[in-house]
Amino acid sequence: QVQLVESGGGLVQPGGSLRLSCAASGSGFSINAMGWYRQAPGKERELVASITRTGIINSADSVKGRFTISRDSALNTVYLQMNSLKPEDTAVYYCRAQYYSYILGSSGDYWGQGTQVTVSS
């Protein structure tokens, strides 16, 4: 069983910064790719940025140059540094972890509970 614990959301003014963290815990698994997704009211969930175990990054065009994803593989933790935040970045941000279970011999995805990011003056 994999558990994801997210932290770091909140209210920030336009142009401000926030840092999100997501830690995976449990036993009998390895974490492959980790990433952040977001869902604004009335919109579909979308990829913000993801990073593989080997450090390959994929990010949305809308956040390039402003958001930086990183991970500490030893801690199974992924971070999202968000700078120059805009009102349109307002959404619930979800962490996703792609895992392999040694116990079950299968792969899957786990999602965090989500953390609210609100950018407003």
Side-chain angles (χ1 to χ4, degrees):
Q1 184 79 12
V2 177
Q3 291 185 325
L4 299 178
V5 178
E6 301 161 342
S7 61
L11 172 65
V12 64
Q13 292 186 341
S17 298
L18 283 175
R19 188 188 194 216
L20 306 182
S21 299
C22 173
S25 63
S27 61
F29 67 90
S30 65
I31 298 294
N32 299 320
M34 299 186 78
W36 290 96
Y37 291 70
R38 66 187 181 187
Q39 187 166 19
K43 295 187 177 181
E44 294 188 353
R45 191 173 297 187
E46 62 176 3
L47 170 71
V48 177
S50 64
I51 183 168
T52 68
R53 192 173 185 85
T54 57
I56 297 173
I57 293 172
N58 183 30
S59 60
D61 289 342
S62 60
V63 306
K64 287 180 179 177
R66 301 189 298 123
F67 292 9
T68 302
I69 189 170
S70 60
R71 70 184 284 176
D72 184 330
S73 293
L75 298 178
N76 283 328
T77 300
V78 65
Y79 307 96
L80 185 69
Q81 178 65 44
M82 303 185 292
N83 299 329
S84 302
L85 282 159
K86 304 175 181 180
E88 51 263 44
D89 295 317
T90 295
V92 178
Y93 284 69
Y94 296 90
C95 175
R96 177 191 183 194
Q98 297 175 331
Y99 71 93
Y100 176 80
S101 170
Y102 299 115
I103 298 173
L104 300 177
S106 62
S107 301
D109 291 324
Y110 271 104
W111 291 85
Q113 78 283 1
T115 184
Q116 178 71 45
V117 171
T118 302
V119 185
S120 175
S121 56

